[in-house]
Amino acid sequence: MKREMVCIRCPKGCRMTVEYEGTKVLNVKGNSCSKGLAYAIDEITKPVRIVTSTVKVINGELPVVPVKTDKAIRRNLIFDVMEKIIEAEVVAPIKEGQVILENPADCGADVVATLELRKVTND
Amino acid sequence: MTEKRSIVIIGAGPAGLAAAVRARKSGIKDILLLERDYQLGGILKQCIHNGFGLHVFKEELTGPEFALRYIRKIHELGIEYKLGTMVISIDENKNITTVNEQDGLRIYKAEAIILAMGCRERPRGALRIPGTNPSGIFSAGTAQRFVNIEGMKPGKTAVILGSGDIGLIMARRMTLEGMKVKAVCEIMPHPGGLTRNIVQCLEDFDIPLKLSHTVTQIHGKTRLEGVTVTKVDENYKPIEGTDQFIKCDTLLLSVGLIPENELSEEAGVLLDPSTKGAVVNQYLETSVDGIYACGNVLHVHDLVDYVALEAERAADSAVKRIKGTNPQKRKRMTVTTGEGIRYTVPQIIDRDEKDKKIKIYFRSKAILKTVRVNAVCKGKTIYSRKFKQLVPAEMEYIRIPSEKLKGRNIIIEAVKK
Ligand SMILES: Cc1cc2nc3c(=O)[nH]c(=O)nc-3n(C[C@H](O)[C@H](O)[C@H](O)COP(=O)(O)OP(=O)(O)OC[C@H]3O[C@@H](n4cnc5c(N)ncnc54)[C@H](O)[C@@H]3O)c2cc1C
Ligand code: SF4
């Protein structure tokens, strides 16, 4: 089988033609670098994505802190991970890179903060 | 009282931050960064998705992480900045009038000014959709701030008008937060945003993209109750009988960004009607001596990495001016757009023997497959490069060897082979 796909590993967005059978990739054309090949194989065998969102903050200078999965996770787990992210709460202060959720929904990645946030000083 | 500085940078988004860091590293001590917001980082603070920094930092970062890397450098290098400080005017003598709560009105005089004010969203007024005026209609950027910084949800079900990157990113963001995004409508026959965002924001979540469609009617009294979506012909006129009602309580408008250039105009900076940003030469100098522009205030970028690189070039030019090493005796050429090209930056080339290659950024007018982009001087093609595909949403560039430049004009065109 043949599939046209756009590599999303970098903003160049190479347009690729991928030949495959079942979950076996036979040939990839149009990628500009090896990351494109890896992406094509992932898309055919097990599509993965980085998930970014926000988590509720208690006592913070802002009500939410931005977070991401520290690795790309299986695409079919996105909503399971999101469920945990929506339920979660974290107390300020928060450091960039701080682990907010460990391996939620068994996705194989941790959810970490992508911004530092101070504690609010009461006034 | 007027305070003096070598370089004053207006706006502390990625462009302003990158310019400041570069100028300091080149030895300029008295740099002042002015920002009207209460934090550094500009628009990146609300762009919590990943996809930033692959060129500059060689890793994939989210917007806040990208900004934080520059903000730390600003602190390490001890660069002076003022937050909550609005620049209200600049004159042609490079006097900069600012207001903030502590200092009140204050005037700075700079040897060089770098404009880095970014851009703002086109307002709804510019669209004139008939119907009622209920709540639930937001610009995509406002909704992004709502969700990502204030932690609120704009509604339950949404339609997005316009397929610019902010709209696409918000389609995914709202879906993840449990909202139902029913459609993204784009009046043009091609998407406005990057292809990668079509893939990972719409296709991943089965959100329909309706090309050549627009919103023709808004329904609802106090809160939005739905929109009428209609197909358009090649002249963007609604086609009769193609109306479709979509029930939704939220409408996001992602209909483009305009560089924020009121200040620049006041200073006498000439603007390009196609970019809505300043006309610049390859050193990013505007029509006013000693005023430089970079980032989204110059032309709308889709990649922050290019913003940072452009800002570094603007800083280099400002530094050269201050050190008195900027090129002299330059021969001026204009760059004009030929077939298939919407705009170029720079619009002017000031030729100097020391230049090796001149980099010209451009966007195409439409999606063009297998074309050659040519640079033509005095009727002769002096440079040509093949492109598999040009997409209006994706900025490209060519590099022209400067010894081949001839005459007073150069045309950049994209032609079928
Ligand atoms: C929603 C969205 C998604 C994006 N996604 C990506 C992506 O995935 N990957 C990527 O690489 N790029 C992305 N970009 C593009 C990138 O973020 C922008 O191109 C970049 O942030 C622009 O930087 P800037 O410094 O020119 O402008 P801005 O970040 O807008 O900064 C301008 C600053 O100037 C200040 N200012 C303006 N006027 C004045 C004044 N009169 N006085 C004082 N201060 C003033 C403003 O307050 C602001 O802080 C995205 C952009 C948006 C909006
Ligand atoms: S193939 Fe390489 S260059 Fe092309 S989009 Fe993918 S990562 Fe980028």
Side-chain angles (χ1 to χ4, degrees):
Chain A
M1 274 185 288
K2 238 187 202 172
R3 206 167 113 190
E4 302 289 322
M5 61 170 85
V6 175
C7 174
I8 63 171
R9 292 276 154 92
C10 95
K12 198 168 170 192
C14 293
R15 280 132 188 111
M16 312 189 292
T17 311
V18 184
E19 267 180 73
Y20 64 101
E21 241 175 69
T23 57
K24 198 170 155 25
V25 175
L26 305 172
N27 192 17
V28 179
K29 267 194 238 138
N31 54 314
S32 305
C33 75
S34 59
K35 283 197 285 181
L37 180 66
Y39 174 76
I41 294 172
D42 277 349
E43 280 298 278
I44 300 295
T45 53
K46 48 159 188 53
V48 294
R49 300 286 185 267
I50 286 180
V51 175
T52 61
S53 185
T54 53
V55 165
K56 252 183 245 102
V57 175
I58 299 166
N59 279 336
E61 54 181 346
L62 290 174
V64 290
V65 66
V67 297
K68 68 172 183 187
T69 55
D70 63 356
K71 287 193 263 314
I73 64 160
R74 295 287 289 264
R75 197 173 64 186
N76 57 6
L77 290 177
I78 291 178
F79 283 102
D80 299 335
V81 169
M82 269 313 295
E83 208 174 290
K84 304 280 185 227
I85 289 178
I86 289 171
E87 284 169 8
E89 281 180 349
V90 55
V91 182
I94 300 159
K95 285 206 197 77
E96 188 209 0
Q98 180 178 328
V99 175
I100 308 286
L101 290 172
E102 247 173 79
N103 194 19
D106 230 354
C107 68
D110 292 338
V111 169
V112 299
T114 56
L115 187 66
E116 52 196 21
L117 216 61
R118 281 190 301 249
K119 207 162 107 179
V120 80
T121 36
N122 278 335
D123 53 22
Chain B
M1 187 187 72
T2 305
E3 287 189 37
K4 288 197 173 134
R5 294 290 188 286
S6 292
I7 301 181
V8 172
I9 300 168
I10 304 171
L17 296 173
V21 167
R22 178 70 159 218
R24 164 57 52 88
K25 287 191 171 163
S26 310
I28 304 295
K29 298 225 167 54
D30 55 334
I31 301 165
L32 175 62
L33 194 51
L34 298 171
E35 171 57 54
R36 67 179 170 198
D37 199 356
Y38 285 89
Q39 46 180 358
L40 299 172
I43 193 80
L44 286 182
K45 284 288 168 79
Q46 68 182 60
C47 300
I48 64 159
H49 58 283
N50 58 313
F52 300 81
L54 278 164
H55 296 285
V56 174
F57 295 111
K58 307 285 177 248
E59 58 178 319
E60 186 162 5
L61 300 169
T62 65
E65 291 171 314
F66 187 97
L68 210 53
R69 277 173 169 61
Y70 274 109
I71 293 169
R72 287 195 183 122
K73 284 192 200 165
I74 296 282
H75 290 137
E76 273 164 32
L77 296 168
I79 295 170
E80 182 191 11
Y81 62 85
K82 280 185 172 288
L83 298 176
T85 304
M86 175 89 177
V87 174
I88 52 172
S89 77
I90 312 172
D91 70 17
E92 59 274 27
N93 298 318
K94 293 188 273 294
N95 291 307
I96 301 155
T97 308
T98 67
V99 273
N100 76 15
E101 271 177 27
Q102 300 97 43
D103 309 337
L105 205 67
R106 191 173 277 193
I107 300 172
Y108 297 93
K109 187 169 174 60
E111 282 177 65
I113 296 178
I114 299 178
L115 305 173
M117 289 94 74
C119 56
R120 62 157 176 269
E121 293 180 285
R122 218 164 260 165
R124 179 191 170 188
L127 280 171
R128 288 189 300 263
I129 308 168
T132 50
N133 195 6
S135 66
I137 304 175
F138 310 91
S139 74
T142 306
Q144 192 180 40
R145 203 186 59 235
F146 237 55
V147 179
N148 292 346
I149 296 192
E150 289 162 35
M152 296 193 287
K153 253 195 254 180
K156 290 197 181 74
T157 49
V159 166
I160 299 175
L161 176 57
S163 59
D165 285 313
I166 317 182
L168 300 176
I169 297 282
M170 280 311 290
R172 173 177 64 183
R173 186 72 189 104
M174 293 191 297
T175 307
L176 289 178
E177 287 293 333
M179 286 176 66
K180 174 91 190 136
V181 178
K182 293 196 166 168
V184 174
C185 298
E186 170 59 60
I187 193 163
M188 304 290 282
H190 54 78
L194 299 174
T195 317
R196 68 193 306 255
N197 287 336
I198 304 283
V199 175
Q200 58 182 352
C201 298
L202 301 188
E203 289 173 10
D204 270 5
F205 301 98
D206 296 320
I207 300 169
L209 171 61
K210 291 173 168 291
L211 295 174
S212 299
H213 275 78
T214 190
V215 170
T216 48
Q217 184 93 35
I218 285 169
H219 308 269
K221 286 202 188 76
T222 48
R223 176 77 197 197
L224 182 69
E225 284 163 18
V227 294
T228 303
V229 168
T230 311
K231 201 169 171 22
V232 298
D233 63 19
E234 54 276 19
N235 301 314
Y236 314 118
K237 291 265 170 337
I239 301 171
E240 232 179 281
T242 62
D243 285 359
Q244 183 195 355
F245 176 78
I246 303 182
K247 200 167 171 257
C248 60
D249 63 9
T250 305
L251 175 66
L252 294 199
L253 307 173
S254 178
V255 289
L257 300 164
I258 331 173
E260 187 127 30
N261 271 306
E262 287 71 16
L263 281 179
S264 328
E265 281 192 281
E266 216 178 308
V269 168
L270 202 68
L271 299 187
D272 175 340
S274 347
T275 57
K276 311 261 188 310
V279 170
V280 290
N281 64 12
Q282 76 271 34
Y283 310 110
L284 300 171
E285 188 171 24
T286 67
S287 60
V288 180
D289 205 36
I291 299 188
Y292 303 84
C294 56
N296 277 358
V297 77
L298 179 57
H299 56 137
V300 176
H301 292 66
D302 20 75
L303 285 184
V304 73
D305 295 82
Y306 288 163
V307 169
L309 296 174
E310 191 173 84
E312 291 181 350
R313 280 167 53 219
D316 288 347
S317 306
V319 169
K320 277 194 187 135
R321 177 190 170 85
I322 288 160
K323 293 188 176 167
T325 56
N326 53 341
Q328 303 293 320
K329 276 198 290 180
R330 302 180 259 178
K331 266 184 246 149
R332 176 154 285 204
M333 292 179 83
T334 51
V335 184
T336 43
T337 52
E339 190 184 326
I341 302 290
R342 187 154 73 84
Y343 75 71
T344 68
V345 171
Q347 297 88 342
I348 285 172
I349 297 174
D350 281 326
R351 276 165 65 193
D352 177 61
E353 280 67 39
K354 281 185 231 112
D355 288 330
K356 284 190 193 78
K357 283 198 170 153
I358 309 274
K359 206 167 182 177
I360 296 184
Y361 289 90
F362 64 89
R363 281 182 199 272
S364 64
K365 279 187 185 152
I367 295 181
L368 304 172
K369 294 210 158 131
T370 43
V371 284
R372 296 205 77 93
V373 172
N374 300 327
V376 183
C377 285
K378 290 184 151 179
K380 265 212 189 114
T381 300
I382 58 154
Y383 175 88
S384 173
R385 185 177 146 201
K386 201 171 88 184
F387 284 85
K388 254 195 268 172
Q389 171 156 280
L390 292 176
V391 186
E394 293 169 21
M395 196 169 70
E396 296 282 356
Y397 64 82
I398 50 173
R399 294 171 57 173
I400 304 173
S402 73
E403 75 270 6
K404 291 202 174 157
L405 294 170
K406 276 189 193 68
R408 303 217 151 263
N409 183 248
I410 175 167
I411 301 168
I412 310 297
E413 58 177 26
V415 289
K416 282 257 169 217
K417 285 204 291 181

